[in-house]
Amino acid sequence: MKLIKTLKAFIPPPQWRFMVIVLVGIGVGLFLLTLHLARATSYLSNDPASCVNCHVMAPYYATWERGSHGKVATCNDCHIPHDNIINTYLFKASDGMRHSYVFTFRLEPQVIRIKQAGKDAVQQNCIRCHQNVIHPISLRAISGQSIQGEGDGYCWDCHRETPHGRVNSLTSAPYARVPQLSSPIPSWIEESIGLKKTN
C-alpha cells in the first residue's frame, strides 16, 4: 500500500500531465542523443579504437599499435584491473566518467599523466601477464620487492619505452594515423539531405 501511495505522489495533476510527458520525453531524447554522440556504448567493448573517440588519445593509440604490445594486448588488458568483473567495470565507469568530464569541458592537460589508480592497475597487469618471465630474485635486486609485494618501483621505471615510447603530448606524434570516427549523423539523414551519395 505504501508503495502505491508513494507512486501516486509522483503522478502530476491532470492539467500538467501532457506537459510533464513532453518534458520527460525531451529529457530522455536528449540523454539518448548524448549517449549516441559520445559513442558511450563503445566503451563497454574491448576495442582499442574506442579510446580514440577523444582526439587527444591519438598519439597513445598510434604508439601502442606500433609498439611491442600492439599485437598481443588491448588498452583494457593493461589499463583496467582484472582481479574480478565487478572491480573491472567499477574502474571503467569511474575512469570513464572522469575522462568524459575532462574531455567534454576541454580540461585536459597538454601532457596527460596517469593517475595513481591507473598506475596500480598497470603494474598489476604487467605482473599478471609477465609473471612467468619475472623472477622474484630479479625484482628484489632491482627494487627490493617481491613479485606480489608492494614497492616504490614500477615496471616502466626500467622499461620506459613500453608500450607508448616517448609520447608526452599531441605534438609527440603529429602524423599519427588512427581509426577515423564514423559520422554521428545516421546514414538515412545524410542521404535525405544529400550529404551522402546513394549507390
Side-chain angles (χ1 to χ4, degrees):
M1 268 331 246
K2 288 183 181 181
L3 179 63
I4 294 171
K5 285 183 180 180
T6 306
L7 290 175
K8 283 185 178 181
F10 286 102
I11 297 173
Q15 64 270 23
W16 288 98
R17 282 190 190 151
F18 178 74
M19 186 58 72
V20 169
I21 290 170
V22 169
L23 290 174
V24 168
I26 290 171
V28 169
L30 287 172
F31 176 74
L32 293 175
L33 178 66
T34 302
L35 288 181
H36 173 71
L37 293 176
R39 296 171 174 84
T41 55
S42 69
Y43 297 108
L44 297 174
S45 74
N46 210 24
D47 184 6
S50 65
C51 294
V52 290
N53 284 348
C54 300
H55 77 284
V56 297
M57 298 306 289
Y60 300 93
Y61 178 90
T63 53
W64 157 80
E65 185 180 45
R66 287 156 184 79
S68 60
H69 287 69
K71 302 263 187 295
V72 294
T74 65
C75 303
N76 287 336
D77 289 333
C78 295
H79 290 277
I80 303 295
H82 292 280
D83 50 355
N84 66 59
I85 194 160
I86 295 169
N87 194 24
T88 297
Y89 280 99
L90 280 175
F91 187 90
K92 278 183 92 164
S94 66
D95 217 35
M97 289 302 291
R98 185 175 52 79
H99 287 172
S100 63
Y101 172 76
V102 167
F103 296 138
T104 299
F105 293 103
R106 305 304 310 250
L107 300 172
E108 67 270 5
Q110 177 64 25
V111 177
I112 296 174
R113 300 203 188 281
I114 192 168
K115 302 286 185 219
Q116 188 60 47
K119 286 181 181 181
D120 295 340
V122 172
Q123 179 70 8
Q124 289 169 3
N125 288 322
C126 287
I127 293 168
R128 178 179 60 85
C129 288
H130 297 286
Q131 67 184 358
N132 62 334
V133 294
I134 298 173
H135 195 277
I137 294 172
S138 65
L139 271 177
R140 283 191 204 103
I142 293 168
S143 61
Q145 65 180 359
S146 64
I147 287 183
Q148 303 301 328
E150 295 291 325
D152 293 336
Y154 291 104
C155 295
W156 56 91
D157 290 341
C158 296
H159 302 276
R160 221 172 261 295
E161 299 295 317
T162 307
H164 295 293
R166 296 186 182 274
V167 173
N168 289 317
S169 66
L170 279 171
T171 58
S172 300
Y175 304 110
R177 291 186 173 202
V178 297
Q180 296 298 310
L181 295 176
S182 59
S183 174
I185 303 171
S187 59
W188 64 272
I189 292 178
E190 288 183 341
E191 290 170 4
S192 66
I193 61 175
L195 291 176
K196 189 185 218 179
K197 293 182 180 177
T198 55
N199 294 333

